[in-house]
Amino acid sequence: MAVTFYDLSSDAGLKKLDEYLLSRSYITGYQASKDDLTVYSAVPKKSLDSYVNVSRWYKHIDALLRISGVSGEGSGVTVEGNAPASDVATPPAVDTKTEEEKAAAEERAAAAKKSAKKKESGKSSVLLDVKPWDDETDMVKLEEAVRSVHQEGLLWGASKLVPVGYGIKKMTIMMTIVDDLVSVDDLIEDHLTAEPINEYVQSCDIVAFNKI
């Protein structure tokens, strides 16, 4: 489901975003995506010290844009000018951005779009942790179920079983993806932890995500 943020140029909007990012590293999913770029472009270029979580996230996305770019598709996010009356008790904030701030925001948006486009055909190497329900789970069938997922741009690699305690083992498995064809978030949510594979898989986490 798409996430919606309102009036990120206001203190009320930034406070809502700060609360949202309290337990999250990214706007949606487990990796930086176009959803982060959308929100990043809407955040005003000013001191964010009062919003610890927004400041942390903003600096991280800014660094990614400078170093490697952002290519994840995301789940969809909307940024609107004013919040509904039920969400914000005060009147809608007046746009007080200066022409310089508006120009800077437009430049950041253009840079974000250019970076995303440049990285569309890139590849990434991803290491997953796949955990079974208990020590009675058939790990051979678990691996077969995971490898049964086929998508254009997805190539499964080596795997191994790693003891985690109480007789339970998890499987770590490598995969190579084409960034603009495969979303790791969707792969986990729609396939690896969904029926029928969730008969064997309790959870699946990203351990490492590296651009090739």
Side-chain angles (χ1 to χ4, degrees):
M1 184 174 68
V3 181
T4 301
F5 297 100
Y6 299 94
D7 199 10
L8 293 180
S9 62
S10 70
D11 289 336
L14 287 173
K15 184 178 179 181
K16 287 284 187 182
L17 178 60
D18 194 64
E19 293 171 353
Y20 179 83
L21 289 168
L22 177 63
S23 59
R24 298 174 173 86
S25 297
Y26 303 106
I27 297 301
T28 58
Y30 307 100
Q31 67 178 107
S33 69
K34 293 179 181 178
D35 293 343
D36 292 279
L37 300 184
T38 299
V39 179
Y40 172 89
S41 300
V43 172
K45 190 175 183 181
K46 66 177 185 179
S47 175
L48 299 172
D49 292 343
S50 299
Y51 310 98
V52 177
N53 302 309
V54 174
S55 179
R56 164 185 53 78
W57 165 83
Y58 187 94
K59 290 176 181 177
H60 178 56
I61 298 303
D62 191 61
L64 286 179
L65 288 174
R66 296 173 188 276
I67 298 171
S68 61
V70 173
S71 58
E73 287 298 320
S75 305
V77 66
T78 302
V79 177
E80 298 185 2
N82 298 316
S86 60
D87 289 349
V88 178
T90 56
V94 177
D95 187 357
T96 58
K97 289 183 181 177
T98 65
E99 290 301 319
E100 290 182 356
E101 288 176 330
K102 290 180 179 179
E106 291 175 358
E107 288 178 4
R108 293 202 306 274
K113 289 180 181 178
K114 183 178 180 181
S115 174
K117 184 177 181 180
K118 181 175 66 175
K119 292 291 178 178
E120 277 182 355
S121 60
K123 291 185 178 181
S124 297
S125 175
V126 185
L127 178 63
L128 298 178
D129 256 359
V130 184
K131 298 175 183 176
W133 287 101
D134 51 39
D135 60 341
E136 296 183 358
T137 300
D138 189 327
M139 298 303 291
V140 173
K141 290 185 178 180
L142 180 146
E143 181 174 355
E144 290 175 351
V146 169
R147 291 183 182 275
S148 70
V149 178
H150 297 287
Q151 287 187 15
E152 183 181 0
L154 167 64
L155 178 64
W156 293 109
S159 66
K160 69 176 180 179
L161 299 180
V162 180
V164 295
Y166 303 100
I168 300 175
K169 294 181 179 180
K170 67 180 179 181
M171 180 180 72
T172 61
I173 186 167
M174 292 291 302
M175 66 178 182
T176 301
I177 62 170
V178 177
D179 296 328
D180 59 346
L181 295 178
V182 180
S183 165
V184 180
D185 297 338
D186 291 345
L187 179 68
I188 292 174
E189 294 175 10
D190 298 340
H191 298 283
L192 299 181
T193 57
E195 294 183 351
I197 298 178
N198 63 0
E199 177 182 350
Y200 306 103
V201 175
Q202 184 221 22
S203 64
C204 185
D205 300 303
I206 299 172
V207 178
F209 195 111
N210 299 302
K211 299 294 181 183
I212 299 176

